[in-house]
Amino acid sequence: MAFSSLNQNRGARLPPEVNRILFVRNLPYKISSEEMYEIFGKYGAIRQIRVGTLKETKGTAYVVYEDIYDAKNACEHLSGFNVCGRYIVVLYYQPQRAFSKMDTEKKKEELEQMKAKYGVT
């Protein structure tokens, strides 16, 4: 019975924000890739996991699933999951939001410097 309901869900239209890449926040700083595979691998085949190691990216990770429905299932079940006393936040990766946070003032300043350097008006 459960198998037939799973197949029915596979044919359903997904919201536009749903994709195979999940962005995970609020992870413990000491979490390893192996632990991430153990947690997220329960929901399907994983293509790649990237755990943040820099000062700005610690506590975050990207999880890429082979199948979009596995990613959807993991997002629904793991958001709010407790890992080492921390409740993780699992979101769908949205590139337009990730890059919109760039400092536009800094970019404008760099552009003006380049124009002045090369004499472009």
Side-chain angles (χ1 to χ4, degrees):
M1 182 70 180
F3 182 72
S4 65
S5 67
L6 180 66
N7 282 342
Q8 288 173 352
N9 288 342
R10 296 246 176 209
R13 281 186 63 92
L14 295 172
E17 72 272 5
V18 176
N19 63 53
R20 295 180 313 127
I21 306 170
L22 301 179
F23 176 64
V24 187
R25 294 189 331 212
N26 204 33
L27 287 166
Y29 285 179
K30 303 278 186 191
I31 197 162
S32 68
S33 293
E34 291 78 22
E35 292 170 316
M36 292 288 292
Y37 274 100
E38 188 177 314
I39 295 167
F40 285 86
K42 294 175 183 175
Y43 295 95
I46 294 174
R47 179 172 288 183
Q48 183 181 48
I49 292 181
R50 303 285 298 225
V51 179
T53 56
L54 299 175
K55 181 183 173 191
E56 300 84 23
T57 60
K58 276 192 181 250
T60 64
Y62 290 96
V63 179
V64 183
Y65 279 91
E66 293 287 342
D67 185 55
I68 193 168
Y69 291 98
D70 294 338
K72 181 179 182 290
N73 194 20
C75 187
E76 289 172 352
H77 288 91
L78 290 175
S79 195
F81 187 72
N82 191 327
V83 178
C84 299
R86 298 179 69 102
Y87 293 99
I88 62 173
V89 178
V90 182
L91 306 165
Y92 296 107
Y93 172 66
Q94 296 175 336
Q96 65 275 14
R97 286 189 67 194
F99 295 112
S100 68
K101 292 184 180 180
M102 288 184 171
D103 187 6
T104 55
E105 288 300 318
K106 183 178 178 185
K107 292 292 179 190
K108 285 180 183 177
E109 185 179 311
E110 288 175 4
L111 180 62
E112 292 303 321
Q113 289 175 354
M114 293 291 282
K115 283 182 178 180
K117 181 178 179 181
Y118 293 105
V120 177
T121 56

